[in-house]
């Protein structure tokens, strides 16, 4: 996977078990939300070292404008290019109790953010158990797995956002939930959507000018055997659909 580049910004640091002020790796915050809230005051980014991060709130992380989040650090790096996300898994875990990533209002273009290098797992919500985002967020190089919803969109509910180089795998449902992903005017490129289950419409619901390119949609299933995906006003280019139940 390739990390998205970012211009030089101030950084707050997070390490599992730490209890500092976030000003360096040696003085890192132990709580991601604390780092995000502090970074929002000055428009800084947040770098997160390997580990598992949970929360007792309604979401593990609530995004703030102009604050990008990068995972996959060992906890000594001085540049984004020095990290190795495969060796330093950075896990945001809803523990089956809460949503993982939440964004309230959409961000302005100048305050767009990146979420890069995380495993987003075990989220739980009525809609968007893994991510619920409303605009100008780019999710890159992430694994989104094991999330659950009771109404729709177990892994992702998103508007006006971008998903790149990510895996959406093994998400599931409760009750009569529909769709693994709900995309409204979104871009998805180079992603794998595999082995997800729902009651109906097992894979992707994409409308309002969305674009899906260079993706693999494979092995998704619905217990009601309805269509696999639904596309309206959406470009689907160079994608592979394999063994997804239903007629889409």
């Amino acid at each position: 996977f390739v990390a998205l580049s970012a211009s030089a910004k101030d950084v707050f640091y997070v390490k599992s078990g730490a209890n500092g002020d976030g000003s360096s790796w040696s003085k890192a915050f132990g709580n991601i939300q604390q780092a995000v809230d502090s970074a929002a005051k000055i428009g800084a980014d947040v770098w997160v070292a390997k580990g598992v991060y949970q929360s007792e709130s309604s979401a593990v992380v609530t995004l703030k404008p102009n604050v990008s989040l990068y995972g996959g650090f060992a906890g000594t790096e001085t540049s984004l290019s020095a990290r190795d996300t495969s060796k330093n898994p950075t896990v945001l875990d809803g523990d089956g109790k809460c949503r993982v990533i939440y964004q309230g209002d959409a961000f302005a273009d100048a305050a767009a953010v990146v979420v890069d290098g995380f495993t987003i797992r075990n989220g739980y919500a009525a809609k968007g158990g893994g991510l619920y985002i409303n605009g100008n967020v780019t999710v890159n190089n992430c694994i989104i797995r094991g999330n659950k919803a009771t109404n729709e969109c177990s892994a992702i509910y998103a508007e006006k956002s971008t998903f790149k180089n990510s895996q959406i795998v093994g998400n599931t449902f409760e009750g009569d939930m529909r769709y693994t992903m709900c995309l409204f005017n979104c871009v998805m490129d180079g992603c794998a959507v595999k082995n997800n289950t729902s009651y109906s419409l097992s894979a992707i619901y994409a409308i309002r000018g969305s674009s899906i390119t260079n993706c693999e949609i494979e092995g998704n299933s619905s217990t009601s055997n309805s269509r696999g995906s639904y596309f309206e006003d959406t470009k689907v280019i160079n994608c592979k659909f394999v063994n997804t139940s239903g007629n889409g």
Side-chain angles (χ1 to χ4, degrees):
F1 289 135
V2 178
L4 298 179
S5 61
S7 58
K9 293 174 67 175
D10 290 331
V11 173
F12 283 89
Y13 301 85
V14 182
K15 268 187 177 181
S16 180
N19 191 29
D21 61 8
S23 59
S24 66
W25 285 123
S26 62
K27 298 179 181 179
F29 284 125
N31 180 280
I32 296 177
Q33 192 62 53
Q34 189 177 11
V36 170
D37 293 345
S38 296
K41 297 175 182 177
I42 60 172
D45 287 340
V46 174
W47 293 7
V48 187
K50 63 183 178 181
V52 178
Y53 299 87
Q54 298 178 331
S55 175
E56 297 300 320
S57 300
S58 58
V60 178
V61 178
T62 297
L63 300 177
K64 296 294 179 72
N66 206 28
V67 179
S68 291
L69 281 73
Y70 298 91
F73 293 92
T76 58
E77 298 87 343
T78 58
S79 68
L80 280 174
S81 61
R83 63 184 176 143
D84 187 332
T85 57
S86 64
K87 291 183 178 179
N88 301 301
T90 308
V91 181
L92 309 180
D93 190 333
D95 196 29
K97 299 175 182 178
C98 67
R99 179 180 285 119
V100 181
I101 293 179
Y102 174 76
Q103 177 195 24
D105 295 333
F107 300 151
D109 291 349
V113 304
V114 173
V115 177
D116 184 303
F118 293 93
T119 295
I120 298 164
R121 76 181 188 192
N122 297 335
Y124 181 84
K127 179 190 296 185
L131 301 99
Y132 186 102
I133 53 182
N134 280 312
N136 271 330
V137 176
T138 295
V139 177
N140 183 61
N141 187 18
C142 287
I143 300 170
I144 303 163
R145 73 179 188 209
N147 301 285
K148 183 183 290 188
T150 58
N151 186 5
E152 57 188 7
C153 324
S154 59
I156 299 166
Y157 173 93
E159 299 187 26
K160 299 180 180 178
S161 293
T162 298
F163 298 85
K164 297 175 69 69
N165 310 314
S166 293
Q167 301 176 46
I168 300 94
V169 295
N171 299 281
T172 186
F173 71 102
E174 188 173 293
D176 58 357
M177 189 214 77
R178 306 173 296 170
Y179 320 121
T180 295
M181 305 176 63
C182 297
L183 306 178
F184 302 85
N185 192 17
C186 288
V187 172
M188 184 169 72
D189 180 68
C191 294
V193 183
K194 296 184 176 182
N195 302 321
N196 302 286
T197 59
S198 68
Y199 175 75
S200 63
L201 298 125
S202 60
I204 304 169
Y205 177 83
I207 64 173
R208 299 180 193 168
S210 292
S211 173
I212 300 173
T213 56
N214 307 310
C215 292
E216 296 184 11
I217 297 90
E218 181 176 353
N220 305 287
S221 61
S222 59
T223 58
S224 67
N225 198 33
S226 70
R227 72 182 73 180
S229 295
Y230 178 87
F231 303 121
E232 180 180 315
D233 187 25
T234 294
K235 295 179 181 178
V236 180
I237 301 172
N238 195 33
C239 294
K240 182 170 76 171
F241 294 80
V242 180
N243 295 331
T244 289
S245 73
N247 57 8

